[in-house]
Amino acid sequence: MTPAWRSRTSIFVLCGAFFAGGAGSLFWGGGSGDEQASEVDAGSTTTVTSSLADATSNSSAVSTVTEPIATTTTTTTTVPVPATEPLVLILPVEPPTADAALAMANSLAGEAVLPSDCGVPYDVAESLPNSARDYRSGIHQGIDFICLERGRDAVSALPGRVVMAVGDYVDPEPADREAVLGIAGLAGVTPAHTLTMLYGNYVVVDHGIVPDVGHVASIYAHLEELDPAMLPGVEVTAGQRLGEIGNRGTDSAARDTERPQSIHLHWELHVDGLYLAAGLDSGQTAEVYRALFAR
């Protein structure tokens, strides 16, 4: 392991603590490895916990949150995604139904803007939430906006406040990256610290408690660099630039190669600790995100 990669260990631990805080930890279960999915992924896993809600709601930087979101039950739901073996998504609470998720999306649609102009892959199930990520024993929980070129910006999808900003990420050596992913394979889940390794440079924005929706937060991962203004506590408006989209955290970046498909924004939207459309099939998931962006 290189000195530069070792220097990132403390950050991964801190990030893992953030995502693991409060009611549980971010873990997802799955299968083995692949090429395309590893390039267009930043994260999910098979066991999801309401870490964003708990960690950010306890932060003094989030003025709209008065108390932590409580999660007390555990629900196991079969995820309808294609895979060689059945995948099971373990959630801290019963996920919203398709109708409820659609209602959330419609409630947010008035203010929501696309976080990238690279195009939304509504018809590409692999790039939407709930698709398998066998290479890290996980399930995707965000949208991959595939840009294919550099120079494109990631912007905040909703107004809110920055609660995490990692802009000095150092990609590991390929052997180190594979060793960490191998541990996930043996464990059958994607640990929180592994997930943050795959994010590369990223920003987390807390959008507060939205009426008729819940506590909303979003993640913007694989950034090449952050806008200098993006620091924890900074308030942002919908459409405000967060940074340049790149491929940091991907296999291509670790190998120092320029694979166009690896240049993408991985974006997640969480409501009360669960990613939007958790547990839905690909058609329902696409419908929810079309409603969110009024497409």
Side-chain angles (χ1 to χ4, degrees):
M1 184 176 293
T2 64
W5 178 232
R6 287 199 299 272
S7 72
R8 305 303 305 140
T9 302
S10 60
I11 291 181
F12 293 151
V13 171
L14 291 174
C15 292
F18 171 79
F19 286 102
S25 56
L26 271 174
F27 288 117
W28 284 255
S32 58
D34 73 89
E35 167 68 8
Q36 174 67 13
S38 66
E39 293 291 4
V40 296
D41 179 29
S44 175
T45 20
T46 308
T47 311
V48 181
T49 22
S50 83
S51 47
L52 285 174
D54 291 338
T56 57
S57 59
N58 285 322
S59 171
S60 60
V62 184
S63 60
T64 56
V65 179
T66 58
E67 60 183 22
I69 305 296
T71 57
T72 57
T73 61
T74 299
T75 302
T76 300
T77 304
T78 299
V79 177
V81 294
T84 55
E85 298 180 358
L87 293 171
V88 174
L89 178 61
I90 302 175
L91 299 171
V93 295
E94 181 70 29
T97 64
D99 287 343
L102 188 59
M104 291 178 182
N106 283 321
S107 294
L108 294 170
E111 284 191 289
V113 300
L114 286 168
S116 164
D117 65 355
C118 295
V120 189
Y122 295 118
D123 299 322
V124 183
E126 186 182 65
S127 293
L128 294 177
N130 299 311
S131 60
R133 289 296 184 264
D134 292 341
Y135 77 98
R136 59 174 179 76
S137 298
I139 294 172
H140 202 222
Q141 66 174 10
I143 295 180
D144 286 332
F145 294 84
I146 310 299
C147 298
L148 303 176
E149 63 183 6
R150 296 189 178 275
R152 311 289 276 273
D153 290 336
V155 303
S156 183
L158 293 160
R161 188 186 300 271
V162 174
V163 291
M164 290 193 73
V166 175
D168 59 351
Y169 178 83
V170 177
D171 280 287
E173 294 294 329
D176 292 335
R177 186 178 192 274
E178 291 304 315
V180 174
L181 292 175
I183 294 172
L186 291 173
V189 296
T190 306
H193 57 272
T194 302
L195 193 60
T196 54
M197 176 190 79
L198 299 174
Y199 282 151
N201 289 325
Y202 68 97
V203 174
V204 180
V205 180
D206 190 298
H207 307 291
I209 297 177
V210 179
D212 301 320
V213 178
H215 185 188
V216 182
S218 55
I219 302 174
Y220 308 75
H222 295 324
L223 301 179
E224 180 63 27
E225 60 183 11
L226 271 56
D227 187 290
M230 291 305 110
L231 298 171
V234 170
E235 293 185 359
V236 295
T237 59
Q240 183 170 339
R241 183 180 187 272
L242 303 178
E244 179 185 343
I245 297 171
N247 67 356
R248 306 297 293 276
T250 68
D251 180 70
S252 287
R255 298 179 186 280
D256 197 25
T257 59
E258 191 66 18
R259 185 171 184 266
Q261 289 86 347
S262 74
I263 303 172
H264 71 287
L265 173 69
H266 172 85
W267 178 77
E268 301 175 17
L269 187 71
H270 293 251
V271 178
D272 291 342
L274 297 181
Y275 63 92
L276 185 63
L280 301 184
D281 63 35
S282 58
Q284 293 168 328
T285 300
E287 182 180 8
V288 168
Y289 283 94
R290 285 184 187 275
L292 176 65
F293 298 122
R295 294 296 192 273

